[in-house]
Amino acid sequence: MATEDTDAPEIEHAQSGVDDITGGMKSQLGLTEDQNNLMGLAFILPNIVVFSIFLLGPVLFAFYISFQEWSILANSGTFVGFDNYVEVLQPAPIGIVDGNIVINSRTLTDPTENLWWFALRNTFIYAVGTVPLQIFGGLAVALMLDKRVRAKKAYRAAYFMPVMLSGAAAAVMWRWFLAADGVINSFLEPFGAAHNWAGDPATALGAVMLMAVWGGIGSNMIFFLAGLQNIPEELYEAARIDGASQWGRFRNVTWPSLGNTNFFVIVMAIIGAFQVFGIALVFSEGGPYYATTTTVLLIYQRAFQEGAMGIGAAMSFLLFILIFTFSYWQYKRQQSEEIDY
Amino acid sequence: MARSSYEYPGYERAGVTYWSKTAALYIIVTAGALWMTLPFWWTVTTAFSADPTSAEVSFIPAQLTIENFIQLFDRPDILIVRWFINTVIFAGAVTIFNLVFDSLAGYALAKINFWGREKLFLAFISTMMIPGMVTLIPVYLILVELGWVNTYKGLIAPLIAGPFGIFLLRQHFKSLPTALGDAAKIDGCNEFQTFYKIYLPLAKPALATLGIFTFMGAWNNFQWPIIIAQENAMYTLPVALFAVRNQYFADWGLMMAAALIIVAPVIIAFLAAQNYFIRGMSLSGMKG
Amino acid sequence: MTDHATRGTKYTRRHVLGGAAAASGIALAGCSGSDDGSDGTIEAEGSANLELTGWSADDTESDFVTELANNFDQNNDDISVSYEPVQAEYEQQMRTRLGGGEAPDVFYLDASYFGSFSKEGVLLDLDPLTEVDDYNLDDIFDPLLDAFRYEGTLYGIPKDFSTLSLYYNEPVLNEAGVDEVPESWGGLHDALVAIDEAGSVDAPMVEFANGRMFWSLLHQNGGQVLSDDGSEVLLDSQECIEALEFMIELRDDGVLAIPSEISVDWHGQAMGTEAAAMSIIGPWALPALENDFADVENDIGVAHIPYPTSGERATAAYTVSYSSAADTEYPGASRQLISGLTDDEGMAEWARQGLALSARESHSELEYYQTHDRRRTHLEAGEWSHPVAFGPESNAILNRVNPLLEGAMLGEQEPGEALERATRQINSEVL
């Protein structure tokens, strides 16, 4: 398993020629002889241009705004340093008072204590509840629909249907289904399990999660299907010849070969889960009583409804740090497990 | 030669366990498929039914009518045809640009060794970790400066290089063996030819995936066009869902009719893309 | 955004042909602006192309405004008006456009977020309109004008308004032995209990989960939301807490339901389907009742909201202004357009559509209101109405209070505690 990390000077002999000229500086920067920089640049140029103007630029601008009290209307703001960040984070679940570690669990149970932490908690619960199901559900369906079932196209279309329906329409639909007098309750009525799913703070988030899983399996199915196409038939043959069982083939051929796809699916799932917004807004507007208020919904409220753009930007960057940490961990893990052949 | 990993030589004579497993498989897959599509069935019936009320559940509507669809075309404030055209241009252009630029970038990030490659990759996907709404304002301001507000240019330009596509294709190219490229280079191909002749054809499933997601994303996107468009004629189709909802309580029939019109092209695109989900990789000829 | 749902200027689609017919017969005789610069008129700057925008509750409204705009256009050679309603996310779009310098010349602004716009100095001052002859600015209800003032300057002219009133189903009341419409809180409570016992409706009264009627109740009891200088909220005062306690008492006694509990989406539907006997709602319910629930419509009466014996009459008002951008190219023409849209005749014509009320006091004398006494009741309440707009941070305040009201309505919070929490949060975070 070779690792691919082109930022570190790897091959000794390739360095000597380079270093002779620049006294070791080039290898410090990671420039090695076996790099094809011009080609790389050519391939990536259009993306870099658009990226810089429309992605990187705005992100840096947003970062700049997070240190200001900014008004969209006036298109200007006043510098406040870290005040925004402090305001968002305080009171915190864990703090140090007089040298002792103090735990303030109210921040996680009481939305009026600190809505940021409460929303983060909601988002976290949402992520834990939906991501594994979406990923494994998608994988399972992809495996099933990869080969063995007839009428594959129809089935795949069926599973992808929820993804194709726009989020707003889907959320409205589910709100109707889960209404106190809706379809689902009319089936549950005989069992005494009917409930006001959307209107009860205890179950509203669960309802949103259900909708998310319903809508998320299809996407992952497609990603996995694409990844599965890259696994050469011969590997399965070889495994079968060696007497591997179905599970064995999965574990030893399919799963490792899906490594690259897994990385993609996991990171995208995490990004998506932590940024959930549309369905929470349309389904229940963050209610009832903050039950479905997620981090991005909170950012929307603060930045757009209340005009506190600086706070919104600060929250966005805190969220970014969280997501990036996780993704980077996945990235490092992926790098160490890579197969290159 | 076995046709699939489940159809091994001799499977025709497989016993009960094989067929019961198959049956179980079909049941599970079908049950799941029903869960996925039943809500959609309600969308269809509501769109065609004469008097949908929220208190009624009708899986088979009592009265069928296409009134809702006619209404959509009649109402003067809903320019369905114009919006449809706008959305085709918007989604089509964004998809094509993305397919081209992202495959180039994804290949480079996966197979070309260049300085700063990994950091650049991380920078690209990092931008997906900021909620889009926060960058909305700066992008809008840039477009105002450029004078591209309320134009197709402004609608399309910010979306032509997507971290999503770059990420997807990088991963896909990474899972293809470098040996292929090496062989091609030995034969005298330059980097671009290697990309174009060897790797790109093998990336069909990923390109189809990117195509469908980008198309769908742009097609269903309403947050962005709403900000860019300053006049009714520049809106895209998803706005219809809101134009119809502009009442105290929703007219479900109209709304579901609009939802159907919006989703239909996506379904067609998806079915078309399915043709590219084929096994491209074969190791034969690489031994030794 | 839910602003619209709670504010309620949304009307059923199936609007009567009456609307379109009337719209085509508008004559805006009184709105020719002259640019001779003499006192009593507004100066315009030569030829102007104005952009007018707003949201459209439905095609009736957008048809009407288009007609108004066209008429103004015809009556004023130098000014052309193009009207382009926004379909969704109005507030966000206006903010973005104003910030980017791409705003239209004249636009709607809801009172609830008006404050956040005016404090940034992006609006054109409309004080010159006080001096225009025949325009009669004083005729407009004071509370409404005040809602659109900031630091003494006027930045918006109300285009219409709505108040909340008590809707009741007369036969159901009579059946339950309630012969007179209640006028006091105690009376309301007793009437609801009686209706509950008679059992002919699903719930005696219905209200949104965020307890919208609270904003009327607290003023009736003598409370106020903002302190006089606007530096803090006073929601934890005894008066406010009592008001909330009254509403929660109705909940606890089982006589006040939330829409999902009785299988409806809103009050109009509840009254129309006779799922509820009473509710507090605005005049936008009337078109819905008239069109969709015609058989019940005649049974529904409108009265002023009952107030506590130790308090005074009050109700909530919702209003929207026509405003203009401070950096518009045509300030004079914009002011002219605004005055044209809101002058005596223009407002009367809009009032006759029956969707919202005319903001002019003198219009209660209009024939229209003589024949539509339910709407007249709403109009009369304008005198003691309090716009649901709480200064520049109105949205922030509402965002923090509404969920707590919801919590109280759902039984998760005690009324006193809910208001105290809200007050603490707002005073420390927002103001």
Side-chain angles (χ1 to χ4, degrees):
Chain A
M1 321 265 150
T3 57
E4 289 202 9
D5 183 8
T6 56
D7 278 340
E10 256 186 291
I11 309 168
E12 290 280 349
H13 65 267
Q15 289 310 321
S16 49
V18 177
D19 283 344
D20 279 346
I21 301 169
T22 55
M25 202 176 68
K26 274 198 171 177
S27 58
Q28 283 271 346
L29 285 173
L31 282 168
T32 61
E33 284 251 319
D34 58 336
Q35 285 177 348
N36 194 347
N37 291 331
L38 212 53
M39 248 325 173
L41 186 67
F43 270 66
I44 216 156
L45 200 58
N47 280 88
I48 294 208
V49 170
V50 178
F51 170 72
S52 308
I53 302 177
F54 291 110
L55 283 174
L56 189 62
V59 165
L60 293 176
F61 186 68
F63 187 56
Y64 165 69
I65 288 183
S66 71
F67 294 105
Q68 317 241 340
E69 221 179 273
W70 186 266
S71 151
I72 302 178
L73 282 170
N75 211 9
S76 66
T78 43
F79 183 73
V80 291
F82 280 99
D83 279 1
N84 287 333
Y85 288 93
V86 170
E87 200 182 311
V88 169
L89 292 171
Q90 294 284 31
I94 301 181
I96 300 188
V97 175
D98 297 331
N100 299 320
I101 296 188
V102 170
I103 297 198
N104 184 356
S105 66
R106 272 213 327 278
T107 54
L108 296 176
T109 52
D110 179 359
T112 55
E113 182 75 11
N114 184 322
L115 194 50
W116 162 257
W117 290 111
F118 188 78
L120 199 60
R121 179 202 89 146
N122 279 348
T123 314
F124 205 72
I125 294 177
Y126 170 87
V128 167
T130 56
V131 168
L133 285 175
Q134 285 175 337
I135 294 184
F136 288 113
L139 180 60
V141 178
L143 287 171
M144 288 192 279
L145 296 183
D146 184 28
K147 302 218 196 95
R148 192 149 154 204
V149 170
R150 305 265 181 254
K152 282 195 308 250
K153 271 204 196 164
Y155 274 107
R156 287 181 193 174
Y159 277 93
F160 201 63
M161 209 56 106
V163 186
M164 291 197 262
L165 205 54
S166 94
V172 167
M173 246 169 50
W174 277 99
R175 185 160 70 171
W176 185 85
F177 283 157
L178 291 170
D181 61 326
V183 193
I184 303 210
N185 274 332
S186 59
F187 280 119
L188 295 174
E189 190 82 53
F191 305 104
H195 193 73
N196 187 0
W197 307 102
D200 180 358
T203 57
L205 190 60
V208 174
M209 282 161 54
L210 174 72
M211 218 167 50
V213 173
W214 175 79
I217 288 185
S219 310
N220 288 329
M221 171 193 76
I222 293 291
F223 296 138
F224 280 121
L225 276 172
L228 286 172
Q229 307 309 316
N230 266 358
I231 306 177
E233 205 49 56
E234 287 82 351
L235 289 183
Y236 286 118
E237 272 296 308
R240 202 175 302 123
I241 288 170
D242 284 349
S245 67
Q246 215 165 305
W247 171 249
R249 284 199 298 276
F250 174 76
R251 209 162 58 96
N252 295 317
V253 179
T254 317
W255 184 253
S257 306
L258 279 179
N260 286 302
T261 312
N262 286 343
F263 175 50
F264 176 79
V265 165
I266 293 175
V267 172
M268 292 308 294
I270 290 290
I271 291 179
F274 274 90
Q275 292 196 9
V276 62
F277 165 66
I279 50 178
L281 182 69
V282 177
F283 186 76
S284 50
E285 290 121 24
Y289 191 50
Y290 295 119
T292 56
T293 301
T294 60
T295 38
V296 178
L297 191 85
L298 181 59
I299 292 174
Y300 176 71
Q301 282 183 342
R302 292 284 183 268
F304 284 97
Q305 285 183 354
E306 300 172 22
M309 198 67 196
I311 298 270
M315 286 183 183
S316 301
F317 277 94
L318 290 171
L319 187 64
F320 164 76
I321 291 172
L322 197 65
I323 301 179
F324 185 80
T325 309
F326 185 87
S327 306
Y328 192 70
W329 168 50
Q330 284 296 312
Y331 171 75
K332 276 304 187 197
R333 225 183 56 147
Q334 176 63 18
Q335 286 222 308
S336 65
E337 284 178 3
E338 254 168 32
I339 319 169
D340 191 40
Y341 57 108
Chain B
M1 178 72 181
R3 277 176 289 141
S4 84
S5 65
Y6 291 101
E7 293 167 346
Y8 53 91
Y11 88 103
E12 295 88 352
R13 295 187 297 275
V16 175
T17 41
Y18 177 78
W19 291 112
S20 58
K21 274 200 227 165
T22 313
L25 186 67
Y26 268 95
I27 291 176
I28 296 174
V29 166
T30 312
L34 278 177
W35 179 42
M36 294 286 153
T37 50
L38 264 177
F40 187 70
W41 174 245
W42 176 76
T43 309
V44 175
T45 56
T46 309
F48 284 100
S49 77
D51 186 21
T53 58
S54 78
E56 267 175 46
V57 182
S58 44
F59 276 102
I60 318 256
Q63 268 181 301
L64 284 180
T65 169
I66 54 170
E67 173 69 25
N68 290 321
F69 290 92
I70 296 179
Q71 278 239 358
L72 280 178
F73 282 90
D74 267 351
R75 273 180 58 164
D77 54 336
I78 300 183
L79 311 172
I80 283 264
V81 178
R82 179 65 207 252
W83 292 349
F84 190 87
I85 297 175
N86 286 340
T87 320
V88 169
I89 296 177
F90 172 53
V94 170
T95 307
I96 294 177
F97 276 114
N98 265 292
L99 283 173
V100 172
F101 293 146
D102 293 351
S103 54
L104 286 169
Y107 175 75
L109 287 172
K111 294 294 185 209
I112 304 181
N113 192 352
F114 63 93
W115 179 75
R117 183 180 85 171
E118 296 302 298
K119 296 224 168 31
L120 189 63
F121 168 63
L122 287 174
F124 273 136
I125 61 174
S126 294
T127 54
M128 284 196 287
M129 302 175 195
I130 311 272
M133 64 177 69
V134 173
T135 51
L136 195 68
I137 303 283
V139 175
Y140 178 77
L141 292 175
I142 294 174
L143 289 176
V144 170
E145 284 300 307
L146 290 170
W148 287 3
V149 181
N150 208 36
T151 61
Y152 285 120
K153 284 199 296 280
L155 200 55
I156 295 170
L159 300 179
I160 61 180
F164 172 79
I166 296 176
F167 193 10
L168 181 68
L169 283 162
R170 174 203 189 250
Q171 296 311 110
H172 204 86
F173 283 123
K174 254 193 183 302
S175 68
L176 294 172
T178 319
L180 287 176
D182 291 344
K185 287 189 189 133
I186 289 171
D187 282 351
C189 287
N190 66 23
E191 197 75 63
F192 186 75
Q193 285 167 327
T194 316
F195 163 71
Y196 190 70
K197 294 203 156 89
I198 310 287
Y199 283 105
L200 198 58
L202 290 174
K204 284 207 185 76
L207 287 172
T209 306
L210 175 61
I212 192 66
F213 274 95
T214 310
F215 184 76
M216 195 174 67
W219 189 266
N220 282 336
N221 188 347
F222 104 98
Q223 191 84 3
W224 173 243
I226 277 259
I227 291 283
I228 293 298
Q230 312 274 35
E231 52 183 36
N232 220 358
M234 282 300 292
Y235 285 143
T236 55
L237 215 43
V239 175
L241 277 177
F242 279 79
V244 164
R245 242 175 75 181
N246 251 341
Q247 313 161 77
Y248 203 82
F249 57 102
D251 183 329
W252 300 100
L254 269 189
M255 213 167 133
M256 291 302 124
L260 274 187
I261 294 186
I262 296 176
V263 92
V266 181
I267 298 180
I268 297 174
F270 177 77
L271 291 173
Q274 280 306 293
N275 290 326
Y276 293 95
F277 272 72
I278 44 164
R279 225 154 203 72
M281 263 295 304
S282 161
L283 281 175
S284 59
M286 276 197 40
K287 301 276 170 66
Chain C
M1 276 168 43
T2 57
D3 256 344
H4 288 264
T6 43
R7 194 178 69 80
T9 342
K10 303 222 162 231
Y11 317 105
T12 56
R13 164 187 56 84
R14 280 185 289 253
H15 252 341
V16 198
L17 357 142
S24 54
I26 296 169
L28 289 177
C31 70
S32 52
S34 61
D35 30 324
D36 58 13
S38 57
D39 269 7
T41 58
I42 306 168
E43 255 186 64
E45 43 281 293
S47 77
N49 294 314
L50 296 181
E51 279 172 40
L52 170 68
T53 193
W55 58 78
S56 78
D58 66 1
D59 36 353
T60 310
E61 180 166 355
S62 56
D63 283 344
F64 180 80
V65 181
T66 309
E67 198 63 44
L68 270 184
N70 287 338
N71 275 300
F72 183 86
D73 211 313
Q74 278 160 28
N75 288 332
N76 292 276
D77 290 326
D78 290 338
I79 307 179
S80 69
V81 181
S82 68
Y83 169 64
E84 202 63 73
V86 168
Q87 295 293 354
E89 306 261 320
Y90 183 78
E91 188 189 338
Q92 187 184 352
Q93 282 217 43
M94 284 319 301
R95 264 193 224 277
T96 315
R97 286 205 214 166
L98 275 167
E102 293 275 316
D105 299 291
V106 176
F107 43 88
Y108 291 8
L109 279 183
D110 190 298
S112 66
Y113 46 79
F114 175 81
S116 65
F117 280 71
S118 55
K119 81 169 174 178
E120 303 288 352
V122 293
L123 298 178
L124 182 67
D125 86 78
L126 299 176
D127 276 338
L129 289 181
T130 46
E131 284 139 40
V132 178
D133 295 336
D134 294 338
Y135 180 61
N136 231 333
L137 189 72
D138 302 321
D139 191 23
I140 299 181
F141 283 107
D142 277 331
L144 302 179
L145 279 178
D146 282 339
F148 298 118
R149 280 188 219 273
Y150 178 71
E151 292 187 346
T153 315
L154 187 66
Y155 289 104
I157 303 286
K159 75 174 181 76
D160 58 34
F161 80 115
S162 306
T163 54
L164 297 182
S165 298
L166 181 71
Y167 280 51
Y168 58 93
N169 186 321
E170 201 159 348
V172 172
L173 252 63
N174 291 334
E175 222 180 276
V178 180
D179 294 319
E180 271 180 22
V181 183
E183 294 212 349
S184 66
W185 281 7
L188 178 65
H189 179 264
D190 295 338
L192 290 175
V193 169
I195 296 171
D196 194 30
E197 276 161 16
S200 54
V201 288
D202 293 336
M205 191 165 185
V206 70
E207 179 55 275
F208 283 134
N210 65 9
R212 186 179 60 185
M213 71 167 99
F214 171 67
W215 303 105
S216 308
L217 298 176
L218 78 90
H219 285 113
Q220 289 177 332
N221 205 30
Q224 58 188 87
V225 180
L226 275 181
S227 63
D228 290 330
D229 58 357
S231 65
E232 55 170 1
V233 289
L234 305 170
L235 287 168
D236 56 352
S237 66
Q238 196 50 34
E239 293 89 356
C240 291
I241 295 183
E242 276 170 11
L244 186 57
E245 278 174 352
F246 172 63
M247 190 169 68
I248 302 302
E249 193 192 324
L250 295 179
R251 276 291 279 168
D252 290 338
D253 289 348
V255 298
L256 179 64
I258 60 180
S260 59
E261 285 168 357
I262 52 173
S263 305
V264 294
D265 288 325
W266 66 300
H267 314 63
Q269 196 185 358
M271 301 295 293
T273 55
E274 294 194 301
M278 285 200 190
S279 63
I280 293 180
I281 180 117
W284 56 84
L286 289 170
L289 287 172
E290 285 155 8
N291 297 328
D292 298 333
F293 302 106
D295 43 333
V296 173
E297 190 236 333
N298 288 318
D299 298 335
I300 312 273
V302 175
H304 294 309
I305 306 178
Y307 61 100
T309 37
S310 60
E312 56 185 23
R313 285 199 191 281
T315 182
Y318 297 94
T319 178
V320 176
S321 73
Y322 280 115
S323 293
S324 178
D327 58 0
T328 175
E329 261 179 86
Y330 313 107
S334 300
R335 289 193 186 102
Q336 258 183 273
L337 177 59
I338 293 179
S339 70
L341 294 167
T342 55
D343 69 359
D344 200 65
E345 189 51 36
M347 240 194 237
E349 203 50 53
W350 176 234
R352 288 188 200 112
Q353 305 303 312
L355 297 172
L357 310 166
S358 165
R360 288 178 174 272
E361 249 172 313
S362 63
H363 282 180
S364 58
E365 305 299 318
L366 282 178
E367 198 205 306
Y368 178 78
Y369 284 117
Q370 301 309 315
T371 49
H372 292 80
D373 49 320
R374 286 183 296 210
R375 287 177 176 81
R376 195 175 69 238
T377 310
H378 278 291
L379 185 63
E380 282 165 8
E383 204 188 306
W384 53 76
S385 65
H386 298 260
V388 183
F390 310 119
E393 305 294 339
S394 198
N395 272 347
I397 294 175
L398 286 170
N399 269 348
R400 285 162 178 76
V401 178
N402 279 335
L404 283 166
L405 289 178
E406 218 175 352
M409 288 283 277
L410 294 173
E412 307 260 338
Q413 296 262 338
E414 289 298 314
E417 209 186 296
L419 288 175
E420 273 160 18
R421 273 225 171 110
T423 312
R424 217 176 31 233
Q425 216 190 346
I426 296 172
N427 286 337
S428 62
E429 274 177 36
V430 179
L431 297 173

